[in-house]
Amino acid sequence: MSETKPITLEDNGSKGRYVYRADGHEAEMTFSKVGTSQIIIDHTEVPDAFRGQGVGLALVTRAVEDARQSGVKIRPLCPFAAAQFRRHEEWSDVLAR
């Protein structure tokens, strides 16, 4: 992501997604809410056009930042998101146990 483009949050009540759009392509990370205190990241999809640019990591990072601000915990069921949480110990404060 050499050019910084905003990641948008689409909140649809019990579900939502973080989206990155550029050059006619869209990457997304979807989640479900568990009450008001937890979200479950269930899917991350990054098209080939964005591979190797850190887009997936940026999506998870944005969710972590938002979770910290709102006091929400994250349960990363998506294999990609779970791998990012294992790599980033500094995110343990928002990891649901």
Side-chain angles (χ1 to χ4, degrees), residues 3 14 18 22 24 28-29 31 36 38 46 53 56 60 63 87-91 95 97:
E3 294 178 29
S14 64
Y18 288 91
E28 72 172 357
M29 184 185 70
F31 64 89
T36 58
Q38 188 177 128
V46 177
Q53 299 178 38
V60 180
R87 289 185 186 114
H88 294 273
E89 291 184 18
E90 70 274 17
W91 295 350
L95 182 62
R97 306 235 181 248

Side-chain angles (χ1 to χ4, degrees), residues 8-81:
T8 57
L9 169 61
E10 297 176 1
D11 189 335
N12 299 316
S14 64
K15 295 184 176 278
R17 69 184 193 141
Y18 288 91
V19 184
Y20 173 82
R21 293 179 182 95
D23 303 322
H25 299 282
E26 179 179 280
E28 72 172 357
M29 184 185 70
T30 61
F31 64 89
S32 299
K33 293 180 184 177
V34 180
T36 58
S37 62
Q38 188 177 128
I39 66 167
I40 297 171
I41 296 175
D42 49 29
H43 180 71
T44 303
E45 185 170 339
V46 177
D48 289 340
F50 295 150
R51 298 244 188 252
Q53 299 178 38
V55 173
L57 174 59
L59 292 167
V60 180
T61 300
R62 169 69 190 276
V64 168
E65 291 167 354
D66 287 356
R68 282 187 177 136
Q69 287 183 334
S70 61
V72 170
K73 298 291 184 184
I74 297 174
R75 184 169 307 278
L77 294 185
C78 161
F80 177 81

